[in-house]
Amino acid sequence: MLSRQVADKLAKYETPFYLYDIELLNQTLESLMSIANRYSYKIHYAIKANYDARLLQIIRKYGVGIDCASGNEVRCAIEAGFDPKSIVYAGVGKRDKEIRYAIEQNIFAINCESIEEIDLVNDLAAEAGKVVNIALRVNPDIDPKTNHCIDTGQADSKFGISYEEILSSVEHIRSLKNVLVIGMHIHIGSQIRELHVFENMCNKVNVIVENLTNLGFELEFVDVGGGLGVNYDMPENEPIPNFASVFAIIKQHLKVGDREVHFEFGRSIVAQCGELITKVLYNKTTATGRRLVIVDGSMTELIRPALYGSYHNIENITSEADQRLKYTIVGTACESTDVFDENVSLPLTKRGDLITIKSAGAYGMSMASRYNQHDLPGAVYSDEL
Ligand SMILES: Cc1ncc(COP(=O)(O)O)c(C=O)c1O
């Protein structure tokens, strides 16, 4: 919970804005990298989670690489000073110009998601006179036990290539002269809180890696994606995700010899360090008795609740009233789904109070839009207050 002094200092900024806790980001990265280095695991930050330049600058200092989902994300990472050799690039629908750019920049690996994409990378690499390193993004058919909107590794998913399809194309892939398969990639979903899922994942990966090796692929690295979840319910209880437990599970169950093991964490690095600060515009009560608080933020700043039905903990950081009421917190966008949460217990809330929507550092600002011609929200950093 933000202290009274911090809440007072926020009053001068134009709402809505993202507030980033720089100390927490540093602590999170220290925790992540100290354990990852112990195991010699390679970490890529999934840049789609948040592109904020100040955050990227901090993340870069910890020797983290980048995971991208588009050509512009590759560009953003390179412009932020990340070494192209630390960049992996996945995505089901890479455009020709995006692949050309990734080839030009000599990134670490293009994680290919269809046989046709592999063919295209091969053709564009030939055009550039290069042999390009790729990884096969395999669909492992795993239920990550998370919100269905953010699972990516079940058999029917659009992501990755089925093992059967790889099997029927082995000779073809191996005959291509301008791509070299050096890695295997999976990413099974996001906001994974049941850690035994990672054990199932390892068991699947072990089999896939063994099979691909038997098929003649010389894999140098295995990229097991991201997905580690955060505590949205009670962020104060768990500001830093339990990286140690995940790595211990991976260490125990992943059997891939001396191949490099890579991770692509997004949410677990930046979710808890960011919150969306909004201001109450109006109170009103519907004919059905629902007490609405209308804040000046909306789904255009933070779309997760409207898009996935995601939960964010909400607090009034201004009111010190003893009386608490149940409110529905809604935004300004012209959409009925623009509701941050219902039945939120808050102290008596008035026009002008600041309302914080917590754990919004990941997939908040990076998904912001200008729908309704809203301005994009600003950013305020805790060490500059
Ligand atoms: C391929 C890939 N890697 C990594 C991530 C990051 O996931 P998370 O933020 O859950 O760690 C995503 C998220 O969508 C992804 O699609």
Side-chain angles (χ1 to χ4, degrees):
M1 161 117 197
L2 291 174
S3 68
R4 166 81 8 227
Q5 288 107 308
V6 174
D8 289 345
K9 284 184 189 166
L10 296 179
K12 67 173 187 271
Y13 297 98
E14 185 182 347
T15 50
F17 61 87
Y18 277 95
L19 173 66
Y20 294 111
D21 182 338
I22 297 301
E23 195 184 340
L24 179 59
L25 177 62
N26 276 302
Q27 288 168 350
T28 305
L29 287 158
E30 267 156 32
S31 162
L32 168 65
M33 293 312 286
S34 64
I35 315 168
N37 289 338
R38 210 178 303 152
Y39 293 123
S40 299
Y41 290 156
K42 307 273 182 224
I43 308 296
H44 303 261
Y45 166 59
I47 197 169
K48 62 178 83 72
N50 195 318
Y51 312 110
D52 182 274
R54 177 85 204 283
L55 303 192
L56 290 180
Q57 194 190 22
I58 294 168
I59 292 167
R60 188 168 62 83
K61 280 199 279 180
Y62 285 84
V64 175
I66 293 285
D67 157 53
C68 297
S70 73
N72 282 346
E73 287 192 352
V74 176
R75 182 171 287 107
C76 173
I78 290 173
E79 285 175 2
F82 288 88
D83 180 357
K85 277 285 159 227
S86 74
I87 295 176
V88 288
Y89 173 21
V92 280
K94 301 180 187 78
R95 297 168 183 84
D96 296 27
K97 68 173 183 183
E98 295 177 301
I99 295 173
R100 275 200 187 94
Y101 178 68
I103 291 173
E104 201 181 287
Q105 295 299 322
N106 297 317
I107 67 169
F108 178 69
I110 299 179
N111 296 349
C112 294
E113 306 214 19
S114 64
I115 306 299
E116 287 191 1
E117 183 193 331
I118 297 173
D119 286 338
L120 179 61
V121 174
N122 184 63
D123 291 349
L124 298 179
E127 222 176 81
K130 291 183 177 176
V131 176
V132 168
N133 288 338
I134 64 168
L136 301 175
R137 178 168 180 179
V138 182
N139 179 311
D141 189 17
I142 295 178
D143 179 357
K145 312 260 184 248
T146 183
N147 181 336
H148 183 57
C149 300
I150 50 175
D151 71 33
T152 54
Q154 303 218 48
D156 197 36
S157 163
K158 73 173 181 177
F159 297 101
I161 316 175
S162 72
Y163 183 71
E164 292 68 29
E165 215 174 353
I166 292 175
L167 202 57
S168 61
S169 309
V170 172
E171 292 313 319
H172 173 66
I173 299 170
R174 292 187 51 206
S175 74
L176 298 173
K177 297 276 177 290
N178 295 85
V179 289
L180 188 62
V181 178
I182 62 159
M184 175 267 183
H185 173 224
I186 63 163
H187 170 74
I188 59 175
S190 202
Q191 186 50 14
I192 298 168
R193 294 284 286 166
E194 295 187 31
L195 296 189
H196 64 88
V197 165
F198 290 107
E199 182 180 332
N200 299 345
M201 179 190 81
C202 289
N203 295 335
K204 284 263 177 161
V205 170
N206 294 344
V207 174
I208 296 170
V209 168
E210 193 184 337
N211 289 349
L212 291 178
T213 305
N214 290 339
L215 291 172
F217 293 110
E218 290 177 21
L219 305 179
E220 294 168 20
F221 77 98
V222 175
D223 181 343
V224 295
L228 176 61
V230 301
N231 190 338
Y232 282 103
D233 296 326
M234 284 182 280
E236 282 82 9
N237 289 359
E238 203 185 331
I240 300 177
N242 197 344
F243 295 113
S245 297
V246 180
F247 287 149
I249 291 171
I250 303 285
K251 184 75 196 158
Q252 191 183 346
H253 297 281
L254 194 69
K255 306 285 176 217
V256 294
D258 57 3
R259 294 179 180 88
E260 281 184 356
V261 179
H262 293 231
F263 293 83
E264 304 166 341
F265 293 128
R267 187 186 309 275
S268 51
I269 296 180
V270 290
Q272 298 293 33
C273 77
E275 50 197 304
L276 180 65
I277 309 291
T278 66
K279 192 178 280 175
V280 177
L281 290 172
Y282 308 107
N283 278 275
K284 71 177 177 186
T285 306
T286 65
T288 55
R290 215 154 54 113
R291 220 178 257 113
L292 304 184
V293 163
I294 302 157
V295 295
D296 61 2
S298 73
M299 62 193 286
T300 64
E301 288 80 30
L302 179 63
I303 199 175
R304 299 187 66 257
L307 186 64
Y308 310 133
S310 307
Y311 173 79
H312 288 261
N313 194 288
I314 296 177
E315 268 181 29
N316 182 326
I317 54 174
T318 307
S319 174
E320 292 179 325
D322 291 330
Q323 187 189 7
R324 292 188 82 85
L325 293 171
K326 291 277 172 86
Y327 295 101
T328 295
I329 315 295
V330 303
T332 56
C334 192
E335 292 294 329
S336 296
T337 57
D338 184 27
V339 176
F340 286 118
D341 200 10
E342 313 212 5
N343 281 316
V344 185
S345 169
L346 296 179
L348 192 66
T349 294
K350 298 208 182 68
R351 173 172 163 83
D353 287 355
L354 291 182
I355 302 287
T356 177
I357 304 170
K358 295 189 242 173
S359 315
Y363 308 108
M365 184 61 205
S366 59
M367 286 189 169
S369 78
R370 295 218 48 220
Y371 176 56
N372 289 162
Q373 292 279 313
H374 285 179
D375 292 329
L376 288 173
V380 173
Y381 308 94
S382 59
D383 58 351
E384 294 173 357
L385 281 173

